[in-house]
Amino acid sequence: MPLTNRKKGAIIIVKASNMISNIYSPIEQKHTGKGKPNAILIFDVELNNRQQKLLEQLPKFDSRVVVPKNNVNMADLSALTAKTGDEFAMFTKSGERLIIRGNAFFVNVDEREAAELASQGYRWSGHTHPGDSLLCIQGSKGDDSILNCFPQKMSAIYNSKGQFNFIWKR
Amino acid sequence: MIMTFKRHEKDIQDFCERNGYDFEKAKHLLQCGGHEVLFLQYVDPDEESSGLGLLDETPLPLVLAIYKRTNGQLMFKKTEYTDRYLSYSK
């Protein structure tokens, strides 16, 4: 039915219902940028609570933690990179993820350790490269060699903005 | 949609033919692609691995960068390595 044919009261009720709905989900709650890599990088907003807890378990270079798979994803690592300027790497095995903190230039995982992780059933989910351009998410010699240690075909590289590329095995 | 070599194979082949490059060489480059870009990078097949893994983040030579514009068209960007690694061998 066209709006012009509706009773005025009905329109008022619809509007009132929208207003109530907006009160229960205020704009601040949806758009703070908390936990979003790009917002952390540009506006220095906070990590979300889950990311903050993860960072507390990874206080310095080469800190390592195993967490349930559902507790962390690659976008979280991108957020941690935006906050700290450090690289992070993630390896996944069934329901768990191993997270390793690096520094601004590398993560302490050589081919020997990568082969060991692969033999334990881990796959290399991805890692981060600090920086805010697409050019930061190119493959490096090390990325190529580590990917070859695992049976998988590809792995993700995220930058500090949350942009990502997949690197494919040759 | 993630940019892959396979998905854009025809465009890459056309680019190579138009510019006198060897498409077979392009096929063997390392592929690194996402929503906005596909990088093709050179890995020396004869170079022995250092074993350093993620401790060696030396970027591989970027041979070709293929960007997806907002209208969906592809933009090919050559680099200082394009001629060196895509030209036909003499």
Side-chain angles (χ1 to χ4, degrees), chain B residues 13-35:
Chain B
Q13 189 168 10
D14 288 347
F15 170 84
C16 287
E17 284 170 6
R18 277 199 313 275
N19 291 275
Y21 292 131
D22 188 344
F23 177 62
E24 288 303 312
K25 285 185 179 174
K27 276 184 184 174
H28 293 98
L29 296 170
L30 179 90
Q31 301 164 36
C32 187
H35 291 292

Side-chain angles (χ1 to χ4, degrees), chain A residues 1 10 15 37 85 92 130:
Chain A
M1 183 190 296
K15 281 184 177 172
T92 305

Side-chain angles (χ1 to χ4, degrees), chain A residues 61 87 89 91 105-112 124 127-129 134-147 157 163-170, chain B residues 2-5 28-39 41-45 47 49-63 65 67:
Chain A
F61 173 71
E87 289 194 15
F91 301 87
F105 308 104
F106 49 75
V107 178
N108 186 19
V109 175
D110 60 12
E111 286 180 30
R112 187 195 52 76
W124 183 29
H127 72 305
T128 59
H129 285 174
L134 286 173
L135 288 171
C136 327
I137 43 179
Q138 292 179 56
S140 68
K141 277 186 189 175
D143 301 342
D144 181 56
S145 73
I146 289 294
L147 185 55
I157 309 173
Q163 294 171 308
F164 63 91
N165 276 350
F166 290 106
I167 178 174
W168 276 273
K169 199 176 268 183
R170 288 174 290 131
Chain B
I2 298 296
M3 294 177 70
T4 63
F5 191 95
H28 293 98
L29 296 170
L30 179 90
Q31 301 164 36
C32 187
H35 291 292
E36 298 160 74
V37 70
L38 172 63
F39 295 125
Q41 298 177 263
Y42 180 75
V43 183
D44 186 347
E47 189 180 322
S49 172
S50 64
L52 287 172
L54 293 183
L55 289 160
D56 179 10
E57 287 279 26
T58 310
L60 291 162
L62 177 58
V63 178
Y67 293 90

